[in-house]
Amino acid sequence: MTDRIRQLLVNYPEVYLAVWEKLRPILEEAETRDKLYGRKIELPTPPVCAARPEVKINVHNDEMVDSYSWLKDRENEEVLKYIQDENQYAIAALSHTEPLQKLLYNEFVSRLDADEESARVTLSDGWSYYSKSQVGLEYRLHCRSIINPHGFEEEQVYLDENEIAQSPEFKDASYFRVGFLRHSPDCRVLAYGVDGLGNERFTTFFKDVETGEPMEDRLLSIYENLEFSSCGRFVYYLTLVPETERAYRLYRHVLGAPVDQDQLLYEEKDEMFCLTMTKSGDGKFIMINSAAQVTSETLFLHADAENDARPHVIMPRKEGITYSAESHDGEYFFVLTNENSKNNWLFRTPAPKRHSPPLDLIALRETVIPHRDFVLIEDFQVRRRHLVVFERSNCHQNVRVIELAPAGDSNPEHRPEAPPCSIGLKPNPFDKYHYISLPETVYSLLPESINEEVSNLSKMTLFDTNVLRFTYSSLVQPRQVMDYNMDSRETFVVHTEKVAGTPIYDTSNYEQLRLFSTGIDGTAVPMSIVYRKDLIGQGGKGLDANPCLLYSYGAYGSCTDPVFSTQRLSLLDRGFIYAIAHVRGGSDMGMGWYEEGKLGKKPNTFLDFISCAEYLIKEGYTSSEKLAIYGRSAGGLMIGSVVNMRPDLFKTALTEVPFVDALNTMLDSSIPWTAFEWEEWGNPEDPEIYRIMKQYCPYTNVRPQRYPNMLVLGGMNDPRVAFFEPLKWVAKLRSCWPPQGTPLLLGSNEDGENSGSSRRGHTGDVSHDDRMLLLRIEEVGHGGSSGQYAYLEDLAFEYAFLISTLQAPVFRIDKEDESNRTEPLTPSTIRRKKGVFANERLSEMESRGGLGIETDHGQPFISESEGNDVRSADATRIRTSTTQGGTRHSWFGALKPGGEESSGSQGNNSNIQNRRRSTTLLEFSEKGTKQNGKPAPPSQGPRAQSRLTEWIANFF
């Protein structure tokens, strides 16, 4: 039977669906055996990190023992070797999912829009500016077009990010990202910043757009905010404090002049404050904001200043008060502040004239929108005749449009007619407004284009119009850039994110909901969820429940908005439910919601997340056997805390760049930004903050217990969360992890007591501990890989981890496959219908015959190359190509003539993988067993060679 299966799969890959019918009884039998007896999973031997205890007595006279503090030294060869060992172990432990990773990657690529381009913006030079991606290219092309005298569209590519990435300066860089682009007001000069390390420090280049020639000016290691003066001769930029990401100095550069002659205009000396900069929407001012966590101050300077360029303060900073300002044609400042309020209020005050006597702007202000207890004003924009206010209430975003009289126009006939008011009351000039109607109840709205360059260009052109441009999305609606006419109240879609490939994406196949769980203190905690309608289970339990991925962030008042993802379809089409927990610590329900999840109330964030997970299980959406959780950065702290608190509640945890060593970091004032972060987490020198932080800090509270499967990702060049935080955490977790293959008594906890939450089978069944603890730390920054294909490779690895550990279907479930179904569709029904194809068998076939995963009209199938007739990747399907010179290319490998393995560029640390990018799809297909340009480890562990018994037993 096994030989017959082998031949069917190798010789007739295009009819694999028929093979599943023959495999079905075998799979069902294996599933039954899996439930009754458990299964033994062989994993490679994990790396061992030496514990070297370091003892300190803190300010509370507590003895703190840190056995892995030595891992903070990035120059230590032992540290680099341990990182390399962890990276190789992670790849080896998931080597059985490599075909699944390639299948997922192929699905991601198939959905890419081959003709994707951003919304267009027409500037004063008559050209329409936009950017676009092309199949096979990692990075974007920045273009402009114009209708020539013959009536045809003429296109110019004025910046090709791919050419820059392949230039000598960045070709061997460990990371590459074009972070910002700025156009001079006359559209002739382009400034663009490149990050070549991932540390968010940009080298800025200048280019003459008309001639296409680079300019000699270059600014090194600056912040991402840069603005041109009105005349275009001057450039304003910010520099950073060495070794931190705190922008603290404002300079003015004269194009064509030496950089060492640049003029220092302002320096922020308080280390708690960081500078940001933008140009006002009317182009009149350069606005500089100096902000700490709970206090801010805004300065302005005239954008047309020649010799008198110096910043002026709008309102002096005051502890606990934040504000931001925008100009209305140089006549007024509209100011958003939290002064004496929680959810912000908006006022207007005259803008000082150049060389005019000082004004008391506080005394002259007039209220535009007062504070409201249950409505948060998040942001606002100003047009000549409109004020646009972005609000949030009860986890919903709203847009208020207020009619304005043109600035400086004192004619009362030109003022908008206010609604009728009571006798004797003065009409409020801001009372004539309306709200924009939005089509869904669960959605996300961004007050600009999602494209950074287009957003900046739009800002240059929209002030004198009645148009509001914003980006709309939901969990089922791809992103749309919309232009809203504020006079006619009509909406025009100027750009829609396209979902390519087959099956054709249909929003009606998916459903999104807003749910509310009840927190431990009785607080209603909102959730947003999405799933495919025909794959939602009917209250299945255990392995019969839907797999679910629960995500949240919950810090800094940041909202976790429900947005669409084409890659997420690969989970939804496998029966996943995707859920967002809008926990306290974000401002999804207003600033009060944020304050209930910070400082001494930080544990509310974790308890809310646990309540959401329990709700999803209780209501039958999923089970603890099928629940995965995800969070990154400060959200990684949440993940680390909840797996310490309730490890039994989750099967799998995925976290990226997690901030997990909170107690040690917050106690070390020598670390840059520590004092700044005290406003969010609290200063642990305070006994009460210390007590609370000590209870929830993930690293501090690691202890021997049955943790879920865990994949932890970090970045060597991350300026926000140091690489050693996830590294130390995993090292400590691994010291508490039982040896691979440790027998476990199912239905009992590790102390032998009944846990009440059996993972499979009955109490007393014997299984083996097959949980994974994986770590990858790569040469990237806080945001991970920057190229679109490198990002998809990383995501395929993460999705494969989720699918494999949750035992979800390997192949997506096509809707037509279930047309004759009469029974409720639960995950076990899916496994019977489609079959669950374990990846060890694919791996073995790959090594034997150049097996590849291809697509036929969007449906993946298995193929095998013969000789030089091989497959290479395309965006919508896989096409046949023939190599030359005897080099064999396949989805799984590339060999030079004679069998020598291809080599790639090296990063700064040769022991750490370079995950920067794969410049083209062809390059990806040529990688083979290389790991992003570097040779694979010499051994992939015992799972590298597949066995049929493991293949059948290993369900996804």
Side-chain angles (χ1 to χ4, degrees):
M1 180 62 180
T2 58
D3 291 338
R4 183 180 178 186
I5 294 173
R6 182 196 299 267
Q7 291 303 314
L8 284 170
L9 292 174
V10 173
N11 297 332
Y12 304 101
E14 69 278 3
V15 294
Y16 77 90
L17 286 176
V19 175
W20 298 150
E21 297 301 320
K22 298 182 180 298
L23 283 174
R24 185 188 304 170
I26 301 175
L27 297 173
E28 289 179 350
E29 178 184 354
E31 180 185 24
T32 302
R33 185 174 66 253
D34 178 59
K35 287 184 177 181
L36 290 177
Y37 305 112
R39 58 195 175 102
K40 184 177 181 181
I41 299 295
E42 295 182 13
L43 293 173
T45 301
V48 177
C49 181
R52 299 172 184 175
E54 180 180 302
V55 180
K56 291 182 178 180
I57 304 299
N58 64 29
V59 294
H60 304 286
N61 287 322
D62 275 1
E63 181 180 276
M64 297 182 65
V65 180
D66 189 349
S67 298
Y68 302 98
S69 179
W70 68 276
L71 294 176
K72 296 165 65 174
D73 183 5
R74 65 182 300 145
E75 304 300 326
N76 187 325
E77 289 297 327
E78 287 185 81
V79 174
L80 298 179
K81 177 61 166 61
Y82 176 58
I83 294 174
Q84 181 188 26
D85 291 345
E86 285 285 1
N87 287 341
Q88 292 183 355
Y89 172 73
I91 293 169
L94 284 184
S95 62
H96 63 289
T97 72
E98 286 179 1
L100 173 58
Q101 294 175 45
K102 295 176 175 71
L103 174 60
L104 289 164
Y105 177 86
N106 190 50
E107 290 178 16
F108 300 158
V109 172
S110 72
R111 298 192 193 104
L112 294 179
D113 180 10
D115 302 315
E116 186 273 328
E117 68 175 43
S118 68
R120 298 189 175 202
V121 180
T122 302
L123 299 185
S124 58
D125 60 357
W127 290 82
S128 294
Y129 290 75
Y130 54 96
S131 67
K132 64 182 181 180
S133 61
Q134 284 188 352
V135 173
L137 297 181
E138 278 280 19
Y139 304 103
R140 298 188 72 81
L141 306 175
H142 298 268
C143 311
R144 64 178 187 168
S145 68
I146 197 170
I147 304 300
N148 63 27
H150 303 290
F152 297 101
E153 184 180 43
E154 176 185 339
E155 182 182 75
Q156 293 181 2
V157 177
Y158 60 84
L159 188 73
D160 184 346
E161 294 184 14
N162 301 279
E163 287 185 0
I164 302 170
Q166 292 301 316
S167 65
E169 185 167 356
F170 296 106
K171 184 177 181 179
D172 296 326
S174 60
Y175 181 85
F176 176 84
R177 181 171 74 92
V178 174
F180 64 86
L181 294 95
R182 291 291 184 272
H183 295 256
S184 62
D186 62 2
C187 312
R188 186 176 182 90
V189 178
L190 172 72
Y192 61 93
V194 179
D195 180 1
L197 289 174
N199 61 358
E200 302 176 24
R201 292 172 174 264
F202 295 88
T203 300
T204 302
F205 304 86
F206 296 85
K207 184 175 185 179
D208 189 315
V209 177
E210 294 296 327
T211 65
E213 294 298 319
M215 301 170 64
E216 294 184 359
D217 303 76
R218 178 180 293 198
L219 306 175
L220 301 178
S221 193
I222 73 169
Y223 191 57
E224 59 185 342
N225 295 159
L226 179 145
E227 297 292 345
F228 283 93
S229 64
S230 297
C231 64
R233 290 181 49 237
F234 306 110
V235 175
Y236 297 93
Y237 65 95
L238 303 173
T239 61
L240 297 98
V241 177
E243 307 303 326
T244 78
E245 71 268 23
R246 185 176 81 90
Y248 76 120
R249 285 179 175 172
L250 169 66
Y251 283 91
R252 185 169 81 161
H253 171 71
V254 181
L255 288 177
V259 175
D260 58 10
Q261 297 180 9
D262 289 357
Q263 180 183 5
L264 174 63
L265 302 179
Y266 180 77
E267 180 175 357
E268 178 53 73
K269 299 182 182 296
D270 191 329
E271 66 177 15
M272 295 284 287
F273 286 75
C274 176
L275 298 181
T276 57
M277 177 178 60
T278 187
K279 185 179 284 188
S280 61
D282 59 8
K284 302 287 186 180
F285 299 105
I286 305 294
M287 313 294 289
I288 305 101
N289 189 261
S290 182
Q293 286 278 18
V294 298
T295 306
S296 72
E297 178 181 69
T298 299
L299 303 91
F300 69 94
L301 59 85
H302 294 273
D304 60 355
E306 293 283 341
N307 300 319
D308 58 344
R310 53 193 181 89
H312 304 271
V313 175
I314 295 179
M315 294 192 311
R317 68 185 63 171
K318 187 176 180 180
E319 180 66 24
I321 295 177
T322 62
Y323 73 95
S324 60
E326 180 59 279
S327 169
H328 187 204
D329 204 23
E331 297 291 330
Y332 293 99
F333 284 134
F334 282 87
V335 179
L336 180 67
T337 181
N338 70 341
E339 182 181 1
N340 299 322
S341 70
K342 185 170 291 187
N343 282 328
N344 301 334
W345 61 288
L346 191 65
F347 68 84
R348 184 177 74 170
T349 191
K353 305 298 182 183
R354 187 186 278 114
H355 308 306
S356 65
L359 296 176
D360 186 349
L361 301 183
I362 302 297
L364 295 172
R365 63 187 179 182
E366 56 181 324
T367 299
V368 178
I369 301 178
H371 169 260
R372 291 159 293 170
D373 289 336
F374 300 102
V375 180
L376 169 65
I377 302 177
E378 294 186 297
D379 198 3
F380 69 101
Q381 295 179 9
V382 181
R383 303 287 189 269
R384 187 175 298 279
R385 295 191 298 107
H386 298 90
L387 172 66
V388 184
V389 182
F390 298 93
E391 303 176 346
R392 187 181 294 266
S393 177
N394 198 28
C395 214
H396 286 91
Q397 294 173 273
N398 297 297
V399 184
R400 176 194 285 207
V401 178
I402 303 174
E403 295 187 25
L404 298 176
D409 189 347
S410 59
N411 189 339
E413 294 182 359
H414 295 167
R415 292 189 177 275
E417 181 181 353
C421 61
S422 301
I423 297 176
L425 294 181
K426 183 180 178 180
N428 187 334
F430 310 112
D431 274 351
K432 189 171 183 182
Y433 63 86
H434 68 272
Y435 282 91
I436 298 178
S437 177
L438 299 170
E440 299 173 287
T441 57
V442 179
Y443 60 87
S444 176
L445 189 148
L446 181 70
E448 55 195 14
S449 170
I450 197 72
N451 183 283
E452 188 270 345
E453 180 190 18
V454 170
S455 178
N456 183 259
L457 292 174
S458 298
K459 188 176 180 180
M460 295 170 60
T461 61
L462 292 179
F463 177 77
D464 286 311
T465 73
N466 60 358
V467 173
L468 168 65
R469 174 166 287 187
F470 62 90
T471 301
Y472 178 89
S473 180
S474 73
L475 292 171
V476 299
Q477 172 60 56
R479 293 180 179 90
Q480 294 179 315
V481 179
M482 296 183 174
D483 281 352
Y484 177 75
N485 187 309
M486 292 181 281
D487 291 329
S488 67
R489 306 188 184 184
E490 295 177 293
T491 302
F492 303 91
V493 178
V494 297
H495 177 265
T496 299
E497 178 185 15
K498 296 180 181 178
V499 184
T502 51
I504 297 175
Y505 177 71
D506 184 353
T507 58
S508 65
N509 291 336
Y510 303 84
E511 184 170 12
Q512 59 180 357
L513 298 173
R514 174 63 48 78
L515 306 175
F516 288 85
S517 68
T518 302
I520 192 171
D521 58 356
T523 301
V525 182
M527 282 188 290
S528 302
I529 74 167
V530 62
Y531 51 82
R532 212 175 87 184
K533 294 177 183 178
D534 62 321
L535 298 186
I536 190 68
Q538 302 294 321
K541 304 296 183 182
L543 291 172
D544 283 337
N546 280 81
C548 177
L549 178 61
L550 176 61
Y551 165 72
S552 192
Y553 183 73
Y556 299 106
S558 178
C559 297
T560 311
D561 292 321
V563 297
F564 182 78
S565 165
T566 60
Q567 292 82 36
R568 192 187 301 138
L569 295 175
S570 290
L571 296 181
L572 301 183
D573 288 347
R574 287 170 169 82
F576 269 78
I577 295 170
Y578 178 75
I580 300 172
H582 303 281
V583 298
R584 282 174 283 186
S587 59
D588 307 68
M589 301 281 282
M591 293 305 292
W593 197 250
Y594 166 46
E595 292 178 0
E596 286 295 311
K598 64 180 294 191
L599 301 175
K601 297 182 179 179
K602 191 61 199 174
N604 284 337
T605 300
F606 320 130
L607 296 173
D608 285 355
F609 191 80
I610 289 172
S611 296
C612 289
E614 291 175 330
Y615 178 90
L616 292 171
I617 294 171
K618 178 182 176 182
E619 296 299 320
Y621 286 99
T622 189
S623 69
S624 60
E625 281 289 341
K626 290 291 188 176
L627 180 56
I629 55 176
Y630 167 61
R632 70 182 329 271
S633 193
L637 182 146
M638 177 194 65
I639 297 299
S641 295
V642 299
V643 297
N644 281 333
M645 297 165 67
R646 288 294 305 277
D648 61 300
L649 200 56
F650 317 107
K651 181 65 178 291
T652 296
L654 167 63
T655 181
E656 301 174 7
V657 291
F659 172 50
V660 286
D661 194 11
L663 188 59
N664 283 319
T665 298
M666 291 295 101
L667 280 171
D668 188 353
S669 59
S670 67
I671 298 176
W673 283 100
T674 296
F676 182 87
E677 293 291 344
W678 285 342
E679 299 288 356
E680 176 71 21
W681 310 100
N683 184 350
E685 292 186 4
D686 179 298
E688 182 63 13
I689 292 294
Y690 174 74
R691 181 186 66 81
I692 294 171
M693 191 177 292
K694 189 176 180 180
Q695 289 177 348
Y696 73 70
C697 175
Y699 181 73
T700 303
N701 289 283
V702 169
R703 58 188 181 276
Q705 59 179 332
R706 185 173 172 78
Y707 284 98
N709 296 285
M710 298 179 67
L711 171 60
V712 182
L713 305 174
M716 281 298 292
N717 300 320
D718 189 341
R720 300 170 186 261
V721 177
F723 76 95
F724 55 77
E725 296 234 2
L727 185 64
K728 289 174 55 182
W729 186 40
V730 169
K732 190 172 183 180
L733 281 167
R734 206 172 287 292
S735 71
C736 298
W737 216 262
Q740 303 293 349
T742 300
L744 295 175
L745 188 63
L746 296 181
S748 303
N749 60 27
E750 293 189 351
D751 297 324
E753 300 172 353
N754 193 298
S755 66
S757 177
S758 175
R759 289 191 173 268
R760 62 177 66 90
H762 306 286
T763 301
D765 291 343
V766 176
S767 180
H768 295 272
D769 191 4
D770 57 356
R771 293 166 300 148
M772 297 183 182
L773 172 61
L774 309 180
L775 171 68
R776 298 188 73 172
I777 295 183
E778 299 156 354
E779 285 282 355
V780 295
H782 195 67
S785 298
S786 60
Q788 67 170 336
Y789 293 108
Y791 165 74
L792 296 180
E793 291 178 56
D794 294 341
L795 190 63
F797 184 87
E798 296 170 29
Y799 274 21
F801 171 75
L802 295 173
I803 292 170
S804 63
T805 54
L806 295 184
Q807 301 185 50
V810 166
F811 289 95
R812 63 180 181 230
I813 312 301
D814 291 334
K815 194 172 181 63
E816 55 268 23
D817 293 336
E818 307 303 329
S819 57
N820 297 320
R821 172 171 51 85
T822 58
E823 61 180 320
L825 188 60
T826 62
S828 61
T829 318
I830 295 173
R831 286 194 292 272
R832 291 196 301 272
K833 185 70 178 178
K834 287 286 291 184
V836 182
F837 200 90
N839 286 298
E840 290 100 331
R841 189 66 191 127
L842 293 179
S843 299
E844 181 177 337
M845 297 171 66
E846 165 197 336
S847 64
R848 291 173 56 88
L851 182 69
I853 297 178
E854 318 293 347
T855 60
D856 182 8
H857 303 293
Q859 175 61 56
F861 62 89
I862 311 302
S863 68
E864 183 181 20
S865 61
E866 297 181 4
N868 285 331
D869 183 22
V870 298
R871 308 277 184 165
S872 62
D874 194 2
T876 55
R877 63 171 291 117
I878 305 298
R879 62 172 181 264
T880 302
S881 64
T882 304
T883 60
Q884 298 178 358
T887 302
R888 174 177 173 266
H889 295 280
S890 77
W891 184 263
F892 294 93
L895 296 176
K896 294 181 179 179
E900 180 184 356
E901 190 173 20
S902 303
S903 62
S905 61
Q906 300 292 320
N908 294 333
N909 292 317
S910 60
N911 289 334
I912 301 172
Q913 295 174 354
N914 181 348
R915 298 282 296 176
R916 187 188 93 175
R917 61 184 181 273
S918 53
T919 303
T920 63
L921 273 175
L922 179 60
E923 183 179 326
F924 176 81
S925 68
E926 290 174 349
K927 284 181 180 179
T929 56
K930 294 186 298 174
Q931 298 300 327
N932 294 276
K934 294 196 173 185
S939 172
Q940 294 289 344
R943 297 195 63 136
Q945 297 300 319
S946 306
R947 290 180 292 186
L948 185 61
T949 53
E950 290 184 358
W951 173 70
I952 293 176
N954 186 20
F955 281 88
F956 290 98

